[in-house]
């Protein structure tokens, strides 16, 4: 068997899983189970939030290792479910290596994605319907929808201008949200600045990082849990900083 | 009757729609969208019924944990997406905002109060969902687990 190819395939699957926002234990267990299904005795997989390392020893005793660096990524549940399903299928059927590798490589390509416009609509919908939950009326709902669209547009289309630094990006979007909320309420469209701002900030809030951190703790991956918790706290302070800057700026005008 | 409608039905409907909005961002398709939305509505309902306190958030998170575990076994797919989306309405965005507000206006006492309350909320969410799904797994180890062939 071509162990180099097998190793590449397992590393690619781990990379895809990590890129879709899967938990550490899921990445490690999936890659390990896949290698095990192809007859390797003691495959070693190590993953932290931005790196996957797969190491195996061939039956002749020759050790080989592959490392993949995972760039900053969002959450893609569809890709995660597909990776999971494919891993289960490969482990159960163990198709020839070339066929399996083609399947793994095709994962991100034939995956359905929402068009940017639909995603933008999501960015508008979520804050709009959070407004009533925080005590806002119909006017606040409309305002939150507009602010959400602005933040979503900034995140989706403004990547070139605001850069890839997530701290800066979050702070900037938060400032934009609070400024826009202030402007809309002053223009007489909304009722409460607080409600509109909070509803809009809910799309930036580190709920995902927090949930992931908690799941890593549950699985016993303390190192990854700590780094994700730090991430959540950093994002939260970026939100606070941005909103404070936006309000201060709005107060001056 | 009208009280129930405006106190519970409308907020839960809003939580449902907000969570559906989030599914567009997380690229969730098909029936998963519905499950995530229902999870969000369920979490908000439990939170309202239990009195909107930190303990209520704990109970709501526990309800989500169990709901997501059941759904992942029904559909045989990872539990991640459902928990992720359904917990979002409870994440203390308001806490972060008000803490910032008090900090900037120099009201240290209120600032610390709000900050601790925010951390309490976050911890309650984390522990609630974690505890519920661990207990569920311990109680029903025989149920088929997604990912295990």
């Amino acid at each position: 068997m071509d162990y180099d190819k097998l190793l590449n395939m397992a590393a690619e699957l781990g990379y895809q899983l990590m890129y879709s926002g899967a938990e550490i234990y899921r990445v490690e267990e999936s890659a390990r189970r896949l290698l095990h299904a192809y007859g390797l005795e003691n495959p070693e997989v190590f993953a932290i939030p931005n790196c996957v390392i797969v190491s195996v020893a061939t039956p002749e005793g020759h050790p080989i290792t592959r490392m993949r660096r995972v760039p900053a990524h969002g959450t893609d549940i569809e890709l995660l479910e597909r990776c999971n399903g494919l891993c289960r299928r490969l482990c159960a059927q163990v198709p020839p290596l070339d066929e399996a590798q083609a399947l793994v490589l095709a994962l991100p390509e034939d995956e359905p994605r929402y068009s940017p416009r639909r995603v933008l609509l999501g960015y508008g919908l979520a804050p709009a319907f959070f407004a009533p939950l925080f005590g806002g009326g119909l006017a606040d709902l409309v305002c939150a929808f507009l602010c959400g669209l602005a933040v979503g547009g900034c995140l989706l289309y403004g990547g070139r201008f605001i850069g890839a630094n997530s701290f800066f990006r979050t702070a900037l979007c938060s400032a934009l949200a609070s400024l826009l909320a202030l402007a809309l309420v002053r223009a007489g469209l909304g009722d409460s600045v607080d409600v509109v701002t909070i509803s809009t900030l809910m799309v930036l809030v580190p709920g995902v990082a927090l949930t992931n951190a908690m799941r890593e703790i549950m699985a016993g991956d303390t190192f990854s849990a700590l780094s994700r918790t730090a991430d959540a706290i950093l994002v939260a302070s970026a939100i606070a900083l941005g909103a404070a800057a936006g309000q201060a700026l709005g107060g001056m005008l | 009757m009208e009280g129930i409608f405006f106190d519970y039905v409308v907020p839960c409907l809003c939580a449902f729609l907000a969570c559906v909005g989030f599914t567009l961002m997380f690229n969730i398709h098909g029936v998963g969208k519905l499950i995530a939305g229902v999870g969000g509505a369920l979490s908000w309902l439990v939170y309202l019924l239990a009195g909107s306190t930190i303990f209520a958030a704990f109970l709501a998170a526990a309800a989500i944990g169990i709901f997501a575990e059941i759904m992942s076994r029904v559909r045989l797919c990872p539990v991640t997406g459902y928990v992720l989306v359904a917990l979002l309405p409870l994440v203390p965005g308001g806490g972060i905002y008000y803490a910032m507000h008090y900090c900037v206006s120099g009201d240290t006492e209120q600032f610390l109060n709000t900050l601790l309350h925010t951390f309490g909320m976050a911890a309650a969410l984390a522990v609630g969902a974690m505890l519920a799904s661990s207990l569920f797994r311990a109680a029903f180890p025989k149920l088929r687990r997604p990912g295990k062939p």
Side-chain angles (χ1 to χ4, degrees):
Chain A
M1 190 184 288
D2 188 347
Y3 288 103
D4 288 343
K5 208 175 257 179
L6 179 59
L7 185 71
N8 280 337
M9 182 176 78
E12 178 69 25
L13 184 77
Y15 174 87
Q16 294 294 350
L17 268 169
M18 193 61 105
Y19 195 76
S20 70
E23 305 90 328
I24 299 295
Y25 77 89
R26 194 185 300 283
V27 175
E28 292 185 348
E29 205 169 304
S30 299
R32 194 178 301 138
R33 201 171 280 153
L34 183 67
L35 289 167
H36 205 76
Y38 277 89
L40 282 169
E41 280 304 317
N42 290 312
E44 301 285 354
V45 185
F46 176 76
I48 53 172
N50 46 20
C51 177
V52 183
I53 302 172
V54 186
S55 177
V56 299
T58 61
E60 300 86 55
H62 181 64
I64 37 178
T65 301
R66 176 90 200 262
M67 192 197 96
R68 293 292 307 263
R69 174 82 164 81
V70 186
H73 53 85
T75 310
D76 188 340
I77 300 296
E78 179 71 18
L79 183 62
L80 170 58
E81 289 185 0
R82 276 168 183 256
C83 287
N84 195 61
L86 179 66
C87 176
R88 202 157 0 118
R89 213 173 89 208
L90 291 182
C91 289
Q93 299 172 350
V94 196
L97 213 48
D98 286 316
E99 198 181 309
Q101 195 175 28
L103 282 173
V104 172
L105 286 176
L107 268 176
E109 274 145 35
D110 55 1
E111 175 208 3
R113 267 179 229 281
Y114 290 115
S115 64
R117 268 190 210 155
R118 297 278 295 277
V119 181
L120 191 62
L121 184 70
Y123 272 108
L125 270 183
F129 288 102
F130 271 128
L133 296 186
F134 297 124
L138 207 61
D140 292 328
L141 189 148
V142 175
C143 280
F145 182 73
L146 293 175
C147 290
L149 282 186
V151 169
C154 192
L155 285 174
L156 285 174
Y157 300 108
R160 228 174 338 146
F161 305 108
I162 59 180
N165 182 334
S166 89
F167 185 87
F168 181 64
R169 203 172 45 196
T170 311
L172 204 69
C173 286
S174 162
L176 177 73
S178 67
L179 255 183
L180 200 60
L182 209 61
L184 283 174
V185 172
R186 286 221 184 127
L189 193 56
D191 291 329
S192 157
V193 185
D194 290 352
V195 169
V196 176
T197 314
I198 296 172
S199 312
T200 316
L201 293 187
M202 286 306 277
V203 295
L204 300 169
V205 146
V208 177
L210 185 74
T211 319
N212 278 336
M214 153 205 110
R215 298 186 66 77
E216 311 297 10
I217 293 175
M218 183 164 75
D221 294 311
T222 318
F223 185 79
S224 304
L226 284 178
S227 86
R228 292 213 207 251
T229 312
D231 186 36
I233 292 175
L234 271 179
V235 173
S237 21
I239 291 175
L241 207 69
Q247 280 199 338
L249 202 64
M252 273 191 288
L253 297 178
Chain B
M1 191 60 215
E2 201 159 88
I4 294 177
F5 184 74
F6 279 109
D7 286 349
Y8 296 107
V9 178
V10 172
C12 286
L13 205 66
C14 286
F16 176 85
L17 288 170
C19 285
V20 169
F22 272 112
T23 62
L24 294 174
M25 293 176 219
F26 295 147
N27 202 20
I28 302 178
H29 291 258
V31 74
K33 220 152 57 167
L34 194 70
I35 294 175
V38 170
L42 178 75
S43 75
W44 197 258
L45 182 67
V46 173
Y47 181 66
L48 284 181
L49 285 176
S52 308
T53 56
I54 288 189
F55 185 64
F58 173 83
L59 288 181
I64 289 307
I66 293 174
F67 175 77
E69 290 286 334
I70 293 174
M71 281 306 159
S72 87
R73 276 158 183 77
V74 170
R75 271 199 74 208
L76 272 187
C77 59
V79 64
T80 325
Y82 311 136
V83 180
L84 222 60
V85 176
L87 276 183
L88 276 171
L90 294 172
V91 173
I96 298 175
Y97 176 77
Y98 285 119
M100 176 282 296
H101 199 78
Y102 292 128
C103 181
V104 171
S105 60
D107 191 341
T108 318
E109 200 175 322
Q110 279 288 338
F111 164 62
L112 286 178
N113 253 343
T114 320
L115 193 71
L116 285 182
H117 188 267
T118 307
F119 275 125
M121 273 296 266
L125 291 183
V127 175
M130 188 163 92
L131 210 65
S133 69
S134 301
L135 278 180
F136 186 89
R137 282 180 194 191
F140 305 104
K142 291 268 164 60
L143 288 181
R144 40 189 193 157
R145 287 272 296 280
K148 287 208 174 133

